[in-house]
């Protein structure tokens, strides 16, 4: 081999690129990464990955190890979520794939019973965007039910929309934007009475809520397979399972129902294709890592890590409660919550959550900005900032609390960026082609030199103010340009 490059130089470049990323360890980024803060766990997953690196996860009949790993990981998750022998499942590449497959399964079951018409997907507006994607990919009517400004859905509003065209109802445990635990039992009972399946999206909560308790120290109301009408649950191992990205589990009640998840064909001249998931050839690394971590931690290990998340979550919520001008949205369940402006204080004492996130970032912690949303019927969900707490948070919780307070002090009284004023500076917008969209973005100072702005409040204000199709088109352009070869 006469290599084109020098390995030290190549890896050196990679190291330099990674140095620009926000830190993935140490609790500085409160979304995207789920750090247990345990070096030993890191070593467990690296060794597992090393073992299976060359394996093709496509075919468990050839690579028998893959089938065993999947069976054991599904079994572990099923035990945690109180599934009995009727519950079967698959490992998928992540939460989105689990959600897509839950919808695809329900659609195909529905189509068998309804040769005509278009199925409907019913969920609160707070359901993860992966379900919007699923409805789009699999051609279901998307029916999103408004929630209260605290992010809570009324079970009766969902139940009122149940009908024969509903292929699947989705509720969350908890939802991502506000961490509200949806009324799973109430919805499932009504849906089951009409024979309509219910998916519980526990992508983020699946491995923590089994060990969570409410403010009074009581266990949560049943939201998993203990609820008879629940037909499927998604739970991400690459979130609170602490695995590297690329592994989630989709559990389904009933073999016959679950078989609709599969795609199989013998009608081509190549090898017979039988796929329970969207991908063909795939890595076994995240699966093996997720499996090894689950084996290593056991339920007791997960309980301990969750207890740490619970302590930090309580501390940080108390911190926010103590900050004049901010408030925790609703009654979050699990190690995540959203923060909004407290309108009950005078304007000059209010803290805008987006300016706050930008200010906290200057103190070394990256929070996640969430836009306001006008719901069907007009009621507005507020602009918020989202925090996801992981076990490592406990090691920096005092510093983080201080940063939350200092950030608020720095921007108290600064109003939310005026999105309408930003819009007024733009030409009239119609259908955008790629070059026009790019010029527009550059005109407002985004994406010019390949650099993204540090202050995100203006970007979010623009997203809030623009008609959704235009905001979406601009974001597509931004992401598209980001990866174009230069
Ligand atoms: C993260 C998440 C998803 C989507 O998962 P990805 O792993 O990002 O694809 C779906 N639902 C909820 C509630 C989530 O938190």
């Amino acid at each position: 081999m006469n290599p084109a490059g020098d390995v030290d130089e190549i890896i050196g470049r990679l190291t330099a690129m990674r140095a620009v990323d926000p830190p993935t360890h140490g609790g500085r980024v409160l979304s995207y990464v789920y750090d247990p803060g345990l070096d030993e766990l890191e070593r467990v997953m690296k060794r597992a990955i090393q073992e299976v690196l060359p394996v093709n996860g496509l075919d468990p009949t050839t690579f028998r190890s893959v089938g065993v790993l999947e069976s054991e990981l599904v079994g572990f998750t099923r035990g945690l979520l109180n599934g009995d022998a009727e519950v079967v499942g698959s490992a998928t590449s992540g939460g989105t794939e689990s959600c897509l497959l839950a919808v695809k399964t329900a659609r195909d079951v529905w189509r068998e019973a309804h040769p005509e018409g278009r199925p409907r997907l019913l969920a609160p507006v707070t359901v993860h965007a992966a379900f919007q994607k699923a409805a789009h990919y699999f051609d279901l009517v998307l029916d999103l039910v408004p929630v209260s400004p605290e992010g809570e859905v009324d079970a009766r509003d969902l139940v009122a929309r149940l009908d024969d065209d509903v292929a699947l109802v989705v509720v969350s445990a908890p939802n991502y934007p506000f961490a509200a635990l949806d009324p799973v039992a109430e919805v499932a009972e009504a849906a089951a009475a009409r024979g309509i399946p219910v998916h519980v999206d526990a992508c983020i909560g699946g491995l923590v809520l089994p060990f969570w308790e409410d403010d009074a120290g009581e266990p949560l109301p049943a939201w998993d397979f203990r609820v008879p009408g629940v037909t499927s649950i998604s739970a991400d191992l690459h979130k609170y399972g602490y695995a590297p990205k690329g592994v989630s589990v989709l559990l389904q009640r009933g073999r016959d129902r679950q078989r609709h998840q599969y795609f199989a064909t013998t009608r081509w001249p190549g090898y017979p294709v039988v796929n329970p998931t969207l991908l063909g050839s795939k890595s076994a690394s995240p699966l093996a890592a997720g499996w090894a971590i689950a084996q290593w931690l056991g339920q007791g290990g997960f309980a301990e890590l969750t207890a740490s998340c619970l302590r930090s979550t309580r501390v940080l919520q108390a911190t926010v409660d103590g900050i004049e001008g901010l408030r925790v949205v609703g009654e979050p369940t699990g190690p995540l919550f959203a923060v909004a402006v407290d309108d009950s204080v005078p304007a000059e004492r209010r803290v805008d959550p987006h300016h706050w996130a930008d200010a906290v970032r200057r103190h070394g912690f990256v929070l996640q900005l969430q836009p306001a949303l006008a719901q069907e019927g007009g009621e507005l969900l507020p602009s918020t900032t989202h925090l996801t707490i992981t076990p490592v948070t406990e090691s920096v919780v005092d510093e983080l609390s201080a940063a939350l307070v200092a950030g608020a002090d720095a921007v108290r009284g600064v109003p939310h960026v005026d999105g309408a004023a930003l819009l007024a500076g733009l030409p009239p917008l119609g259908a955008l082609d790629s070059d026009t969209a790019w010029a527009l973005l550059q005109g407002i100072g985004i994406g010019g030199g390949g650099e993204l702005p540090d202050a995100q409040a203006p970007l979010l204000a623009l997203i809030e103010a623009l008609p959704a199709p235009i905001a979406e088109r601009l974001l597509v352009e931004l992401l598209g340009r980001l990866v174009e070869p230069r």
Side-chain angles (χ1 to χ4, degrees):
M1 173 52 75
N2 186 12
D6 172 72
V7 66
D8 289 330
E9 203 178 298
I10 294 163
I11 301 300
R13 272 202 68 210
L14 182 53
T15 309
M17 289 178 220
R18 286 282 287 111
V20 180
D21 291 342
T24 48
H25 290 79
R28 302 250 144 213
V29 179
L30 285 99
S31 53
Y32 303 108
V33 290
Y34 298 76
D35 181 1
L38 292 174
D39 293 344
E40 291 160 281
L41 188 146
E42 192 103 0
R43 283 194 290 276
V44 170
M45 86 163 114
K46 282 181 179 160
R47 285 180 62 181
I49 289 170
Q50 198 101 44
E51 289 292 327
V52 300
L53 203 52
V55 165
N56 190 343
L58 167 68
D59 185 1
T61 67
T62 301
F63 296 102
R64 300 292 290 272
S65 61
V66 176
V68 177
L69 292 172
E70 184 162 353
S71 148
E72 293 194 9
L73 189 62
V74 167
F76 180 85
T77 316
R78 179 175 78 177
L80 214 51
L81 302 182
N82 296 296
D84 58 17
E86 295 299 301
V87 173
V88 292
S90 317
T92 72
S93 66
T96 296
E97 194 180 24
S98 290
C99 298
L100 290 173
L101 289 167
V103 175
K104 186 260 187 222
T105 302
R107 183 201 64 177
D108 289 358
V109 170
W110 187 91
R111 276 186 181 166
E112 237 172 40
H114 305 80
E116 308 266 306
R118 206 168 151 224
R120 178 154 56 99
L121 178 64
L122 178 64
V125 71
T126 43
V127 78
H128 195 279
F131 290 94
Q132 299 191 15
K133 190 181 198 174
H136 181 72
Y137 280 11
F138 299 129
D139 194 31
L140 287 86
V141 176
L142 181 65
D143 188 6
L144 296 179
V145 175
V147 300
S148 79
E150 300 300 313
E152 282 146 12
V153 72
D154 188 328
R156 287 167 300 185
D157 294 342
L158 276 166
V159 170
R161 294 198 195 182
L162 293 175
D163 210 340
D164 291 343
D165 64 330
V166 175
L168 186 68
V169 187
V170 184
V171 283
S172 304
N175 68 39
Y176 184 84
F178 309 117
L181 177 59
D182 286 338
V184 176
E186 292 89 327
V187 173
E189 190 186 342
R194 306 193 56 146
I196 299 170
V198 174
H199 179 76
V200 175
D201 180 11
C203 276
I204 199 154
L207 285 105
V208 282
L209 292 202
F211 310 105
W212 202 258
E213 49 191 44
D214 67 14
D215 284 336
E218 298 294 323
L220 305 176
W223 54 271
D224 58 13
F225 284 113
R226 286 169 292 176
V227 179
V230 169
T231 46
S232 55
I233 303 182
S234 47
D236 289 354
L237 274 298
H238 68 199
K239 286 180 181 157
Y240 288 98
Y242 311 109
K245 292 294 176 263
V247 59
S248 168
V249 164
L250 173 62
L251 297 170
Q252 304 228 41
R253 199 194 298 269
R255 284 191 188 85
D256 286 317
R257 170 180 180 75
Q258 193 245 9
R259 300 313 187 229
H260 290 83
Q261 181 188 315
Y262 282 70
F263 174 80
T265 184
T266 51
R267 298 173 227 187
W268 76 308
Y271 57 89
V273 166
V274 193
N275 293 161
T277 59
L278 298 171
L279 300 179
S281 287
K282 61 186 176 187
S283 169
S285 297
L287 168 64
W291 168 87
I293 291 166
Q295 298 288 314
W296 187 72
L297 283 175
Q299 286 210 9
F302 282 103
E304 243 179 83
L305 291 172
T306 300
S308 167
C309 295
L310 182 71
R311 288 190 296 271
S312 300
T313 302
R314 296 286 183 255
V315 169
L316 295 169
Q317 287 173 347
T319 300
V320 171
D321 285 340
I323 296 176
E324 189 185 15
L326 286 177
R327 64 183 176 90
V328 173
V329 179
E331 290 174 25
T333 300
L336 54 151
F337 61 94
V339 177
V341 65
D342 179 2
D343 284 325
S344 73
V345 301
E348 70 275 11
R349 304 301 302 161
R350 291 179 196 160
V351 177
D352 174 67
H354 291 172
H355 287 313
W356 178 60
D358 283 338
V360 172
R361 192 186 185 118
R362 293 190 284 274
H363 289 272
F365 290 94
V366 183
L367 312 182
Q368 192 173 51
L369 295 79
Q370 303 187 130
L373 182 76
Q375 305 187 80
E376 171 203 304
E379 193 159 36
L380 195 71
L381 294 177
S383 307
T384 56
T385 285
H386 181 109
L387 288 80
T388 303
I389 286 83
T390 60
V392 78
T393 308
E394 202 162 23
S395 65
V396 292
V397 76
D398 293 336
E399 194 193 338
L400 173 55
S401 276
L404 299 184
V405 171
D409 289 342
V411 299
R412 184 167 290 108
V414 180
H416 194 69
V417 175
D418 184 355
L422 288 178
L423 273 196
L426 296 180
L429 300 174
L432 293 171
D433 66 17
S434 173
D435 285 339
T436 315
W438 185 232
L440 254 167
L441 280 166
Q442 292 183 299
I444 52 182
I446 298 169
E451 290 290 307
L452 301 175
D454 252 0
Q456 295 198 1
L459 185 60
L460 269 282
L462 201 62
I463 290 172
E464 290 169 344
L466 283 168
I470 297 195
E472 288 155 1
R473 180 65 186 84
L474 290 177
L475 290 170
V476 166
E477 196 57 35
L478 181 63
L479 273 286
R481 297 275 171 167
L482 201 65
V483 297
E484 278 186 19
R486 269 183 262 277

